[in-house]
């Protein structure tokens, strides 16, 4: 296009010079024709990217690793000129999402649609958009871009491995102490009453208080005093081990999946990914079992969800795991010490870690003496190519009588997690 424009400029100058020397009108007329072509082409190119409406529709802005994310696009021409061609460039950062498209001739008041499906290969929070529209004039002299800055976020949850069973430590009996945690679920433990607010369920109305005070009152409930399960996912920086050849977007972004760097589970060789997938799979299992589930992690910001039942709790956990990165500067021992006050007697704590430090094992022993039931899912970092040995950690866990499931990089997670823990 630059060459074409330069050619026209050269012709105009070549015509103007003899026109000035000879005074003949034909040279000026021809120069004016070329100038008019340039001017009209510039105006056409400017109008070519105006008078357009672009819409992008998604059924859901949530997906999961292993699922497909689908988007539909529609371009409408509401201008006064037909669009000879349009190039739509999409700047989304979802890995592998190729939504850019070439739109053929678009007549006035007509529209064009296309659909894109992208396999989700990496967990995380991603941006859809912005977009750039590019078009030009019929002579191919000018290209005009127009940027559409509208964006929206979409989140990709970690993969979930279906578990048929998961063996908790034995001798777990119901009937623990009241936990004093309020919940939106209806339980057998009414904690008090409060005034009705729009959105409260009718079956929570306390009719005696309503009749006595002349306005609606509803009951508040606490969690059942049964054995709860807490998941503690370790995303500390000291616990991160991964294949040296593994690549990320930036230094802390999502993992770039390479088929040659995954294993039988389809996971990148990174303890961070294993912690996220195991935690997501266990959360899915306990929610399906209608177990009161709590969750603690540092990603690096603190995330603590008190025990609740239901898929709303699972959604919160999955959203946290989707963006979790091993960036916390606090060690596992420090975080366990800080969060121990939130764990009540009789609860089961399932710790998911790859840490080779020893201090956290002593903290688990102290929690056991306080009446909790600690359990460890230990991801062996030496199986990810780390030099050294994990014998000391596994030996200490055995001496402390802490039920442990050891996971290695090439293990089948579905099979390993359904095995009984080793004491």
């Amino acid at each position: 296009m630059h060459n074409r424009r330069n050619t026209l400029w050269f012709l105009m100058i070549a015509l103007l010079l003899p026109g000035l020397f000879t005074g003949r009108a034909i040279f000026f007329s021809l120069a004016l024709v070329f100038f008019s072509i340039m001017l009209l082409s510039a105006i056409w190119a400017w109008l070519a990217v105006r008078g357009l409406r672009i819409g992008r529709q998604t059924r859901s802005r949530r997906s999961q690793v292993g699922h497909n994310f689908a988007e539909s696009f529609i371009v409408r021409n509401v201008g006064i000129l037909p669009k000879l061609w349009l190039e739509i460039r999409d700047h989304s950062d979802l890995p592998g999402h190729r939504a850019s498209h070439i739109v053929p001739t678009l007549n006035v008041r007509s529209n064009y649609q296309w659909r894109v499906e992208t396999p989700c290969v990496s967990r995380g929070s991603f941006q859809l958009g912005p977009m750039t529209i590019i078009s030009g004039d019929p002579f191919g002299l000018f290209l005009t871009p127009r940027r559409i800055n509208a964006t929206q976020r979409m989140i990709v949850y970690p993969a979930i491995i279906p578990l048929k069973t998961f063996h908790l430590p034995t001798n777990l009996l119901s009937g623990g102490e009241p936990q004093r945690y309020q919940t939106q679920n209806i339980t057998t433990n009414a904690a008090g009453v409060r005034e009705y607010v729009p959105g409260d369920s009718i079956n929570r109305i306390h009719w005696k208080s309503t009749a006595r005070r002349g306005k609606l009152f509803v009951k508040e409930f606490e969690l059942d005093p049964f054995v709860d399960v807490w998941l503690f996912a370790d995303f500390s920086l000291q616990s991160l081990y991964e294949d040296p050849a593994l690549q990320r977007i930036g230094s802390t972004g999502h993992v770039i999946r390479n088929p040659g760097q995954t294993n039988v589970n389809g996971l990148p060789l990174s303890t961070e990914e294993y912690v996220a997938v195991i935690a997501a799979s266990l959360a899915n299992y306990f929610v399906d079992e209608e177990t009161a589930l709590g969750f603690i992690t540092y990603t690096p910001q603190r995330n603590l969800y008190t025990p609740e039942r239901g898929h709303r709790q699972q959604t919160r956990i999955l959203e946290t795991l989707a963006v979790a990165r091993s960036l916390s500067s606090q060690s596992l021992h420090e975080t366990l010490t800080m969060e121990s006050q939130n764990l009540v007697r009789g609860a089961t704590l399932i710790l998911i870690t790859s840490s080779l430090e020893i201090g956290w094992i002593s903290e688990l022993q102290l929690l056991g003496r306080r009446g909790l039931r600690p359990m460890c899912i230990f991801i062996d970092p030496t199986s990810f190519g780390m030099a050294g040995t994990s014998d000391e950690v596994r030996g200490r866990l055995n001496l402390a009588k802490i039920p442990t499931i050891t996971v290695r990089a090439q293990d089948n997670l579905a099979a390993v997690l359904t095995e009984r823990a080793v004491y």
Side-chain angles (χ1 to χ4, degrees), residues 12-31:
M12 281 190 288
I13 294 173
L15 290 168
L16 286 173
L17 289 176
L20 292 173
F21 285 111
T22 63
R24 292 189 177 183
I26 188 172
F27 293 109
F28 294 104
S29 299
L30 290 174

Side-chain angles (χ1 to χ4, degrees), residues 2-304:
H2 292 290
N3 292 336
R4 293 177 185 175
R5 290 200 301 269
N6 291 337
T7 300
L8 286 181
W9 285 118
F10 175 78
L11 289 174
M12 281 190 288
I13 294 173
L15 290 168
L16 286 173
L17 289 176
L20 292 173
F21 285 111
T22 63
R24 292 189 177 183
I26 188 172
F27 293 109
F28 294 104
S29 299
L30 290 174
L32 181 60
V33 169
F34 289 128
F35 177 77
S36 300
I37 291 174
M38 293 273 285
L39 180 61
L40 291 175
S41 296
I43 295 174
W44 185 295
W46 185 85
L47 291 174
V49 293
R50 266 70 185 177
L52 291 170
R53 291 180 182 175
I54 298 184
R56 63 190 309 164
Q57 296 179 343
T58 60
R59 294 184 60 184
S60 174
R61 289 201 294 271
R62 292 181 175 88
S63 189
Q64 193 169 42
V65 172
H67 295 181
N68 285 344
F69 172 72
E71 269 196 304
S72 297
F73 298 82
I74 183 169
V75 180
R76 293 186 179 90
N77 181 8
V78 296
I80 59 175
L81 292 176
K83 313 301 180 183
L84 300 181
W85 61 272
L86 296 170
E87 180 183 351
I88 310 295
R89 295 182 182 176
D90 181 62
H91 305 291
S92 303
D93 59 6
L94 177 66
H97 192 53
R98 295 179 175 86
S100 300
H101 200 78
I102 299 296
V103 179
T105 302
L106 199 60
N107 294 320
V108 178
R109 305 301 174 186
S110 62
N111 59 68
Y112 180 85
Q113 301 182 60
W114 73 96
R115 191 171 186 270
V116 177
E117 281 198 17
T118 303
C120 296
V121 297
S122 298
R123 64 185 176 89
S125 177
F126 303 100
Q127 179 176 283
L128 301 178
M131 304 177 76
T132 301
I133 308 173
I134 300 175
S135 189
D137 61 281
F139 300 103
L141 297 175
F142 295 95
L143 279 183
T144 304
R146 179 186 174 193
R147 189 175 177 87
I148 308 296
N149 289 317
T151 60
Q152 55 186 355
R153 305 297 300 184
M154 68 92 58
I155 191 167
V156 178
Y157 297 151
I160 291 178
I161 298 174
L163 301 176
K164 294 182 179 179
T165 185
F166 184 80
H167 299 284
L168 290 172
T170 57
N171 299 326
L172 295 182
L173 302 177
S174 62
E177 297 177 356
Q179 298 179 22
R180 309 304 178 194
Y181 290 138
Q182 292 186 357
T183 177
Q184 297 298 321
N185 300 320
I186 296 177
T187 70
T188 58
N189 304 310
V193 296
R194 59 170 173 79
E195 288 191 26
Y196 174 88
V197 296
D200 285 334
S201 176
I202 299 298
N203 61 358
R204 297 183 62 170
I205 295 177
H206 191 257
W207 295 108
K208 290 184 178 180
S209 299
T210 298
R212 184 169 59 251
R213 302 187 186 184
K215 52 184 177 180
L216 289 175
F217 276 79
V218 295
K219 292 175 282 189
E220 289 190 300
F221 297 92
E222 290 179 348
L223 290 173
D224 294 330
F226 294 133
V227 173
D228 295 333
V229 174
W230 284 85
L231 292 180
F232 196 120
D234 177 23
F235 286 101
S236 60
L237 184 59
Q238 297 91 334
S239 302
L240 176 62
Y241 303 95
E242 56 190 18
D243 190 330
L246 201 68
Q247 296 181 339
R248 292 179 178 271
I249 296 296
S251 58
T252 60
H254 64 265
V255 172
I256 301 175
R257 291 210 173 194
N258 186 333
Q261 296 173 340
T262 58
N263 58 8
V264 66
N265 304 292
L267 297 178
L269 297 178
S270 169
T271 57
E272 178 185 279
E273 297 300 312
Y274 272 66
V275 171
V277 170
I278 292 173
S281 303
L282 292 179
N284 180 69
Y285 173 80
F286 288 120
V287 168
D288 288 345
E289 293 292 313
E290 298 185 354
T291 303
L293 178 65
F295 183 73
I296 305 174
T297 192
Y298 284 69
T299 63
Q301 67 274 13
R302 178 177 182 261
N303 298 274
L304 185 146

